[in-house]
Amino acid sequence: MSERASSENVPGSDQGSWQPIARSRSHELVVDQIEEQILAGTLRVGDRLPGERDLASHLQVSRAAVREAIRSLEAQGVVRSAVGSGKDSGTLVSAMPSEALTRLLRLHVALANFPMDDVVDARVMLERSSATLAAHNAAPANLDAMREALNGMDSPGVDQETFNDLDTAFHVAIAEASGNRLVADMTIALRDSMRRPILQALHALGPDWEGVADQLRADHRAIYAAIESGQGETAAELVDQHIRSARAALPIAGTAGAVHSPTPTHSRRPRS
Amino acid sequence: MSERASSENVPGSDQGSWQPIARSRSHELVVDQIEEQILAGTLRVGDRLPGERDLASHLQVSRAAVREAIRSLEAQGVVRSAVGSGKDSGTLVSAMPSEALTRLLRLHVALANFPMDDVVDARVMLERSSATLAAHNAAPANLDAMREALNGMDSPGVDQETFNDLDTAFHVAIAEASGNRLVADMTIALRDSMRRPILQALHALGPDWEGVADQLRADHRAIYAAIESGQGETAAELVDQHIRSARAALPIAGTAGAVHSPTPTHSRRPRS
DNA sequence: ACCTCTGTGTGGTCTGACCATAGAGAGGAC
DNA sequence: GTCCTCTCTATGGTCAGACCACACAGAGGT
């Protein structure tokens, strides 16, 4: 970590100030227009966009350009399309931030843009706070969800995949109990981004995985007890230890693989 | 917080278990195939995808479907396309998680899927940790970036927009000094998602904004001093107070405005 | 050795067509 | 009147084929 801002010492503007210059692709212009309306508040959740053909003719671009723009927004969980006629059809402004965030982080973790240890540290930061808040705010329904996950993990003969999904459900339940949707969604996304590496690690453990599972079960029970009894600080501490020890216990690959070649910030030579 | 899981008391399966069933659109199948290769590690940063025409014929879909898939991945900062020939042309696996994360959060904050207070709380969680780490890990370059931002903010006659951008730069510099790219990127994204509301608030303050700015300058200097002298805990505490008091001082709209579902009473007035 | 021009492969864009779906509304049966 | 059924229509989904703009590679000239 460092070697950043090596050749750009222009005062008064940090390294992030260099706008990526031009934006000419037509679908991006369409995206910009739609984004602008969202940012300005003109378009709100539930509103319908004009039909693709209408939009295309109004914006003076092809329908393909409009569709590509919609795909882009769709990938960000901002709109959703449905065929047919009637109120729920067409392309309308939606809100699926959790799914979008999850897809995004999963891919970037897989690409090792985000090393596994960074993910673990981020989880600790967020989940410590979530646990503290959960200890104060948890509604009965939240506690039920946690308990349900715990009980599921105790089922005899549970396989690695189910166990991990329930483990995730437990952590998600804590995040949702915090009352902060953003933090909950980020937690979900981070946890999910580790799913594949975790499963690989669990399988790599072979029969020993039951031992690890037992440790996790004990951790979870202790965390649950702290939250249920309103001991925020204790819960935070336990979550912290739990996440770190779990990471240590699992032979997770991920971060390996020599992440070389970090994009040399090519400066564009205009012409000669 | 509550009223969740109101009608879903089906035991043995939590509320998130109902998968959205089908996935038939062809561009999504293309995305799935590419994603699969990324998750499996077959495709890595810097690798080139086959040309759009090749991919289309191999996958037995139209070129339009391939392009829409690429747009989707591009929106997630996973690939990047360039025309021309030569090594850097074509569509290749890239890594721009920060930009993608920023766009995503900005839109969802604007849509009020994430209330402003949630964003503030999340920032506090992350930046507390970042400040602590920065106090221990900050490289000279990081400290330079912070100082540069601080000095810029002291420039006489600086306008609200520039001031805010430098303010952002300061916080970003702290996040990057933490050594955790993921946390840094999330911090950048969160800060940026508040840009527009903050600017509106600063303008709404009128001439009084200078007073607020002075307070922010003082906060920043104190934070910088703590980080430079390695006092992690102090830095964390100062950052916490700084963010919360700034939020209190700014009449930020955002979360207000009676967000909720505006009723589908959309009276469709057909023409004629 | 250097410059210039052309070839070729890449994404970018557009046109226009057809398909699949699902609600709306007309029309008939009771 | 009430209900069912059929057709109409608007919507996104998909495709084929064409052409453009760009940028490097390499041939060919100087």
Side-chain angles (χ1 to χ4, degrees), chain A residues 123 127 130-131 134 142-151 153 162-177 187-188 191 216-228 235 238-239 242-243, chain B residues 14:
Chain A
R123 279 190 64 198
E127 297 198 32
S130 293
N142 298 128
L143 294 175
D144 289 347
M146 294 180 210
R147 237 182 352 259
E148 202 174 282
L150 292 180
N151 292 336
M153 281 184 273
T162 304
F163 183 89
N164 183 57
D165 286 349
L166 289 167
D167 191 341
T168 299
F170 178 69
H171 286 273
V172 168
I174 295 176
E176 293 189 332
T187 300
I188 293 170
R191 190 46 159 79
L216 297 179
R217 288 188 183 98
D219 288 355
H220 290 153
R221 291 287 177 186
I223 292 169
Y224 176 77
I227 290 174
E228 188 187 30
L238 289 173
V239 165
H242 165 61
I243 295 175
Chain B
D14 52 286

Side-chain angles (χ1 to χ4, degrees), chain B residues 195-218:
Chain B
R195 186 170 193 273
R196 196 172 180 126
I198 285 178
L199 283 179
Q200 287 177 342
L202 283 177
H203 283 115
L205 283 173
D208 293 344
W209 91 275
E210 280 288 359
V212 174
D214 280 340
Q215 181 59 52
L216 298 179
R217 289 187 183 99

Side-chain angles (χ1 to χ4, degrees), chain A residues 238-254:
Chain A
L238 289 173
V239 165
D240 190 326
Q241 293 169 14
H242 165 61
I243 295 175
R244 294 192 190 285
S245 72
R247 193 266 178 276
L250 293 174
I252 289 180

Side-chain angles (χ1 to χ4, degrees), chain B residues 94-118:
Chain B
S94 185
M96 320 188 74
S98 189
E99 291 82 344
L101 207 47
T102 298
R103 278 195 303 269
L104 192 152
L105 282 184
R106 182 171 45 204
L107 286 171
H108 284 290
V109 168
L111 289 173
N113 295 328
F114 296 133
M116 191 58 65
D117 286 333
D118 281 9

Side-chain angles (χ1 to χ4, degrees), chain B residues 30-242:
Chain B
V30 178
V31 169
D32 286 345
Q33 292 229 10
I34 298 174
E35 271 196 23
E36 178 52 32
Q37 296 213 29
I38 290 175
L39 296 191
T42 314
L43 276 176
R44 298 201 294 219
V45 174
D47 289 350
R48 276 180 65 169
L49 266 59
E52 296 177 353
R53 296 167 179 82
D54 281 357
L55 213 42
S57 69
H58 280 80
L59 300 179
Q60 293 275 290
V61 296
S62 70
R63 193 179 160 208
V66 171
R67 282 182 63 78
E68 290 185 16
I70 290 173
R71 287 293 89 73
S72 184
L73 292 168
E74 196 176 60
Q76 299 176 68
V78 169
V79 304
R80 144 210 146 204
S81 296
V83 295
S85 62
K87 54 177 186 288
D88 259 25
S89 70
T91 300
L92 38 90
V93 180
S94 185
M96 320 188 74
S98 189
E99 291 82 344
L101 207 47
T102 298
R103 278 195 303 269
L104 192 152
L105 282 184
R106 182 171 45 204
L107 286 171
H108 284 290
V109 168
L111 289 173
N113 295 328
F114 296 133
M116 191 58 65
D117 286 333
D118 281 9
V119 177
V120 171
D121 286 342
R123 279 190 63 198
V124 170
M125 293 182 199
L126 294 172
E127 297 198 32
R128 274 195 71 112
S129 304
S130 293
T132 307
L133 290 170
H136 300 321
N137 304 338
N142 299 128
L143 293 175
D144 289 347
M146 294 179 210
R147 240 184 348 261
E148 202 174 282
L150 292 180
N151 291 337
M153 280 184 273
D154 284 345
S155 300
V158 64
D159 61 283
Q160 289 100 319
E161 184 159 354
T162 304
F163 183 89
N164 182 57
D165 286 349
L166 290 167
D167 190 341
T168 299
F170 177 69
H171 287 273
V172 168
I174 295 176
E176 294 190 331
S178 74
N180 186 321
R181 281 189 52 71
L182 171 57
V183 171
D185 285 346
M186 290 199 293
T187 300
I188 294 170
L190 290 176
R191 191 45 159 77
D192 189 88
S193 72
M194 298 172 65
R195 186 170 193 273
R196 196 172 180 126
I198 285 178
L199 283 179
Q200 287 177 342
L202 283 177
H203 283 115
L205 283 173
D208 293 344
W209 91 275
E210 280 288 359
V212 174
D214 280 340
Q215 181 59 52
L216 298 179
R217 289 187 183 99
D219 288 355
H220 290 153
R221 292 287 176 187
I223 292 169
Y224 176 76
I227 290 174
E228 188 187 30
S229 60
Q231 301 171 28
E233 190 51 42
T234 304
E237 205 54 47
L238 289 173
V239 165
D240 190 326
Q241 293 169 14
H242 165 61

Side-chain angles (χ1 to χ4, degrees), chain A residues 24-27 53 61-63 65 84-86:
Chain A
S24 51
R25 293 137 93 204
S26 67
H27 76 265
R53 296 167 180 84
V61 296
S62 71
R63 194 179 158 208
S85 63

